[in-house]
Amino acid sequence: MSTKTETNSTRRWEQIAQELRADIASGRFAPGTRLPNESQLAERFAVNRHTLRQAVQALVREGFLKVQQGSGTWVRELVLDYALQRRTRLSENLAEAGERAERELLAHERCAAGSWAQALKVSPASPVELLYTRSTVRGRPISLSTAAYPCPRLAGMAEAFQRERSITLAFQSLGIADYTRLRSSISARLPTPAEADALARPVSQPVLVVHYTNIDLQGQPVEAACTLFASDAVQLQVEGEL
C-alpha cells in the first residue's frame, strides 16, 4: 500500500514540475520574477506542501528556480554570454557558462541559393539545403536560425542534423572535419509576429540578428546563416578577429 502511495506521489510532483517548467518556458513566470507562495501553488495544484516542495526542488536542481530564504522562490535570470569568434560553437559557449542547449529542427527545404549565393560563393540558381532551427536553454527559446548549405556537397544536412543533434557532428558525418567563422555581422530589429511567437517573447522586444559565414579548413564556404537571439537572454561578445 505504501509503495502505491509513493508511486502516485512521485508521479504527481513530476507533473507539477512539468507544468511549472512549461509556465517558465512560455513566459508566464518570467526570469527574475517570484513564484506565487507555497499556499497559492498548493491550492492551484490541489496537493500538500511536501509534494509541491519536491517539484520546486527538482526545478532548482535543473536551474529553473532559486530559493532565497526569507524572500521566496524566484525564476532564475537567463542571461548568456555568447562569444563570436573564429571557432564559434553554441554548445561549447553554453557549456562554459554551465548551461546546456537543446536545438530542434523546425523545418527544412531544398531551393535555389538566391540571396545566400554570395556568401556561399555559388550562383543564385545553385541548389542549397535550408535548415530552420530553434535553440532552447532550460526549456526557454533563446534563438532561431536559418542556415543554407551548398549542394550537392552537403545534401542530406537535415537528415544528418536530425541524427546527430549537432551541426558540428552533422558536418563531420558529411566529410567536413572542422570549420571556422569567416565573418559575422550584428544588428538589431523588432521580431515579426511569427518570430516573437517562436521565441515566446513580445513583438515589442528587439532581437539581436547575426548574419555569418562558416568555412572549411580549405577556406570553402560550408554554411551561410542568420540567427535571431532573444535580447533578454543573450549577450553577444566579439572575441579576436572574425
Side-chain angles (χ1 to χ4, degrees), residues 11-201:
R11 190 175 300 125
R12 183 62 184 133
W13 72 255
E14 288 177 342
Q15 291 172 348
I16 294 170
Q18 184 176 358
E19 288 189 46
L20 290 174
R21 197 181 294 112
D23 286 341
I24 294 169
S26 69
R28 178 179 180 184
F29 296 139
T33 61
R34 185 170 59 185
L35 287 187
N37 62 41
E38 279 191 351
S39 297
Q40 292 171 310
L41 289 175
E43 181 178 355
R44 169 186 167 183
F45 294 111
V47 295
N48 58 44
R49 293 191 181 189
H50 174 71
T51 300
L52 177 64
R53 286 170 186 166
Q54 286 181 289
V56 169
Q57 288 167 4
L59 295 181
V60 169
R61 289 192 298 270
E62 293 174 15
F64 286 91
L65 302 174
K66 60 181 177 180
V67 177
Q68 295 181 344
Q69 295 299 324
S71 176
T73 303
W74 298 75
V75 180
R76 278 186 55 191
E77 295 282 0
L78 180 58
V79 180
L80 307 168
D81 290 327
Y82 186 73
L84 299 178
Q85 50 195 355
R86 287 191 62 81
R87 287 189 54 80
T88 296
R89 304 288 190 272
L90 177 64
S91 58
E92 293 179 9
N93 269 256
L94 296 181
E96 290 178 0
E99 301 285 358
R100 181 173 181 272
E102 297 288 342
R103 193 169 186 177
E104 63 177 318
L105 180 64
L106 301 177
H108 64 93
E109 62 177 315
R110 183 76 61 86
C111 62
S115 61
W116 303 102
Q118 184 175 359
L120 292 174
K121 294 184 179 180
V122 298
S123 72
S126 295
V128 297
E129 192 158 322
L130 284 183
L131 271 63
Y132 304 90
T133 61
R134 175 170 57 189
S135 295
T136 59
V137 174
R138 300 186 219 154
R140 187 162 171 76
I142 63 164
S143 67
L144 296 173
S145 295
T146 302
Y149 303 91
C151 296
R153 184 183 186 188
L154 290 172
M157 188 65 182
E159 289 77 7
F161 175 77
Q162 286 181 303
R163 182 178 64 251
E164 305 291 348
R165 311 305 300 173
S166 161
I167 293 295
T168 299
L169 294 179
F171 271 143
Q172 292 175 359
S173 73
L174 295 175
I176 309 296
D178 199 7
Y179 62 100
T180 58
R181 182 65 54 92
L182 176 65
R183 66 173 63 88
S184 295
S185 64
I186 306 169
S187 60
R189 64 171 172 80
L190 292 176
T192 66
E195 291 167 347
D197 183 62
L199 288 170
R201 263 66 172 192

